[in-house]
Amino acid sequence: MPALSPTMTAGNIGTWQKKAGDTIAPGDVLVEIETDKAQMDFEFQEDGVLAKILKEAGEKDVAVGNPIAVMIEEGADVAAFESFTLEDAGGEKAAPKEAPKEEAAESSEPPDSGSQTSPSTLDKSASKAEPKSEASPESQEAESSGGRLQTSLDREPNASPLAKAMALDKGVPLKAIKGTGPNGRITKQDIEKYQPPAGSAPAASGATVAPSYEDFPASSMRKTIANRLVQSMNQNPHYFVSTTLSVTKLLKLRQALNASADGKYKLSVNDFLVKACAVACKKVPAVNSSWREIGGQTVIRQHNTVDVSVAVATPIGLMTPIVKGVDSLGLQSISAQIKDLGKRARDGKLKPEEYQGGTFTISNMGMNAAVERFTAVINPPQAGILAVGTTRKVAVPAEGEEGTGVEWDDQIVVTGSFDHKVVDGAVGGEWIRELKKVVENPLELML
């Protein structure tokens, strides 16, 4: 099992593209493997022949380094490996148990980046093994209590017939009640005063309610996402700044550019917003920064180019492919890259370098008309992320020849999440102001 990502410790076997006896050349896809972040093709890099498949399609949590197939040189006898087993290949080791603190999101940064959350930094932690017990305890014979044996009637709770009927009707356990009647007898009043323990509810009379739910195993990608989100919320003090953007001019510019494109491109509102984020990051470079630990020293790294991670929903979870150097790209190039990266993200065909890194993230839920606004979790080690809601038509005052009237304005509510370790509140507010300025005057994006 190859390590197809820096944080991969185990993988799931997908579809084998070759069968026993097939010849393989460098670059041929041997098998699909689900890593902790994506479904990826494993391309073999040597000439040879697939002699035996040791791990069939559908095998789960195969540890990195464990044998999954046997490769032999061309001309060697394939039939000799027909009865070859996993044990013949040296057996297999169990996949290491996942520890949230040791995982790093491939969607955010490569290893050895200097961040506390990079894979090479997190992998330095080691878990301590529990001490083994020196000797098993000797069996001991149970001591007699000295009491007499009781019949089943004697062991029944001491309760009046009325109390028993009431307990059966209300689902009250008689053994949990201490009677207040003569000789500890449970009475009607004891049943009425009974309060079930916190967190429990009396069952219906004589009925057992079966649980109504279904468990689904968490994928490797879902576990990684969960661990990274917990790390981000615990380690990065988030604060949020919201504003309303008027996009009426932007929509008119988009319509005009698309009309003159002659089918070469089709710009979306998100393409403009990605470019606007890059412009704002260049004007307020403190936001285009990250918190790092390098050689025992804490630094804030300010990036000279703006690489925007674009959140994409895929069938197996959220991914953030990166459009690199957005500050120096035109809208047509940005649009083409977002479409290409988004398609390959949904198909599970992204390369690690295409979703590791980034200096700022945008998450757009504007295609869902029900989402007016939301807040997003920072993608560490980045210091900011912009959450974009849907477009709404809002009536605003307008001065006309006949006085003050009303006109409709297209508006979007956006919310920036910032890491207070890196970006002070006033700086986050300044970034939002620059974003609002360029979005509401979209011709500046053409400069």
Side-chain angles (χ1 to χ4, degrees), residues 214-291:
E214 187 174 356
D215 292 332
F216 297 94
S219 65
S220 300
M221 181 177 177
R222 177 54 54 188
K223 293 175 186 176
T224 299
I225 292 173
N227 291 331
R228 290 296 291 170
L229 291 177
V230 171
Q231 285 180 10
S232 181
M233 294 303 293
N234 287 342
Q235 297 177 11
N236 303 316
H238 287 54
Y239 72 91
F240 309 99
V241 183
S242 298
T243 191
T244 299
L245 305 177
S246 172
V247 293
T248 300
K249 293 180 181 178
L250 186 149
L251 293 178
K252 290 179 179 178
L253 175 61
R254 169 178 174 261
Q255 183 179 17
L257 290 174
N258 285 339
S260 63
D262 196 23
K264 295 179 181 178
Y265 58 83
K266 186 176 181 181
L267 303 177
S268 69
V269 173
N270 197 53
D271 299 333
F272 285 88
L273 294 178
V274 168
K275 180 65 176 180
C277 286
V279 172
C281 283
K282 293 298 287 185
K283 292 186 177 180
V284 187
V287 174
N288 196 45
S289 304
S290 56
W291 184 270

Side-chain angles (χ1 to χ4, degrees), residues 1 60 62 93 159 164 243 310 399:
M1 172 63 72
K60 303 286 187 182
V62 180
K93 61 180 180 179
K164 289 181 179 180
T243 191
V310 181
E399 294 293 335

Side-chain angles (χ1 to χ4, degrees), residues 5-78:
S5 71
T7 59
M8 178 178 170
T9 57
N12 302 332
I13 303 292
T15 304
W16 284 93
Q17 302 299 324
K18 301 288 184 180
K19 62 181 183 297
D22 285 353
T23 300
I24 301 176
D28 284 354
V29 176
L30 180 62
V31 62
E32 294 178 358
I33 294 176
E34 181 190 350
T35 71
D36 55 350
K37 201 61 183 174
Q39 184 93 8
M40 302 181 69
D41 292 334
F42 173 39
E43 298 179 357
F44 207 67
Q45 300 303 320
E46 298 179 16
D47 289 308
V49 176
L50 178 60
K52 178 76 172 181
I53 294 175
L54 301 176
K55 288 288 186 180
E56 297 294 338
E59 292 276 356
K60 303 286 187 182
D61 296 324
V62 180
V64 168
N66 276 359
I68 61 173
V70 178
M71 303 298 300
I72 59 176
E73 295 181 356
E74 290 189 41
D77 185 10
V78 175

Side-chain angles (χ1 to χ4, degrees), residues 31-187:
V31 62
E32 294 178 358
I33 294 176
E34 181 190 350
T35 71
D36 55 350
K37 201 61 183 174
Q39 184 93 8
M40 302 181 69
D41 292 334
F42 173 39
E43 298 179 357
F44 207 67
Q45 300 303 320
E46 298 179 16
D47 289 308
V49 176
L50 178 60
K52 178 76 172 181
I53 294 175
L54 301 176
K55 288 288 186 180
E56 297 294 338
E59 292 276 356
K60 303 286 187 182
D61 296 324
V62 180
V64 168
N66 276 359
I68 61 173
V70 178
M71 303 298 300
I72 59 176
E73 295 181 356
E74 290 189 41
D77 185 10
V78 175
F81 292 89
E82 185 175 351
S83 59
F84 196 84
T85 65
L86 190 62
E87 286 68 27
D88 295 330
E92 62 179 328
K93 61 180 180 179
K97 293 183 179 179
E98 294 183 11
K101 293 183 180 179
E102 295 178 3
E103 292 222 34
E106 297 174 18
S107 61
S108 61
E109 57 183 320
D112 301 318
S113 61
S115 163
Q116 281 184 314
T117 55
S118 67
S120 60
T121 304
L122 293 169
D123 287 344
K124 294 178 181 177
S125 59
S127 58
K128 297 181 179 179
E130 295 183 1
K132 297 181 180 178
S133 57
E134 296 180 357
S136 58
E138 296 181 358
S139 59
Q140 296 181 355
E141 187 175 346
E143 295 181 1
S144 172
S145 63
R148 67 181 181 84
L149 293 175
Q150 293 179 309
T151 66
S152 60
L153 291 177
D154 292 332
R155 289 195 298 271
E156 279 197 7
N158 184 14
S160 67
L162 178 58
K164 289 181 179 180
M166 290 181 63
L168 181 63
D169 183 61
K170 294 185 176 183
V172 175
L174 290 174
K175 292 183 179 180
I177 299 177
K178 186 176 182 181
T180 58
N183 298 320
R185 188 178 181 85
I186 300 172
T187 64

Side-chain angles (χ1 to χ4, degrees), residues 227-383:
N227 291 331
R228 290 296 291 170
L229 291 177
V230 171
Q231 285 180 10
S232 181
M233 294 303 293
N234 287 342
Q235 297 177 11
N236 303 316
H238 287 54
Y239 72 91
F240 309 99
V241 183
S242 298
T243 191
T244 299
L245 305 177
S246 172
V247 293
T248 300
K249 293 180 181 178
L250 186 149
L251 293 178
K252 290 179 179 178
L253 175 61
R254 169 178 174 261
Q255 183 179 17
L257 290 174
N258 285 339
S260 63
D262 196 23
K264 295 179 181 178
Y265 58 83
K266 186 176 181 181
L267 303 177
S268 69
V269 173
N270 197 53
D271 299 333
F272 285 88
L273 294 178
V274 168
K275 180 65 176 180
C277 286
V279 172
C281 283
K282 293 298 287 185
K283 292 186 177 180
V284 187
V287 174
N288 196 45
S289 304
S290 56
W291 184 270
R292 307 271 175 168
E293 295 284 345
I294 302 177
Q297 181 182 5
T298 302
V299 300
I300 295 176
R301 178 176 295 174
Q302 192 171 108
H303 304 277
N304 296 324
T305 60
V306 185
D307 300 336
V308 179
S309 303
V310 181
V312 176
T314 74
I316 56 174
L318 185 72
M319 294 196 72
T320 52
I322 304 162
V323 182
K324 297 182 179 180
V326 176
D327 50 309
S328 60
L329 295 178
L331 289 169
Q332 181 179 352
S333 179
I334 293 171
S335 179
Q337 289 194 42
I338 290 177
K339 288 181 175 66
D340 174 62
L341 290 167
K343 182 180 185 304
R344 289 193 288 118
R346 285 184 285 271
D347 293 341
K349 302 298 183 182
L350 287 178
K351 299 176 182 177
E353 60 269 21
E354 292 176 318
Y355 54 79
Q356 293 176 356
T359 62
F360 188 84
T361 297
I362 182 170
S363 180
N364 191 339
M365 292 175 61
M367 71 294 297
N368 187 337
V371 181
E372 180 179 308
R373 69 184 73 196
F374 70 103
T375 57
V377 180
I378 294 171
N379 187 13
Q382 297 173 12

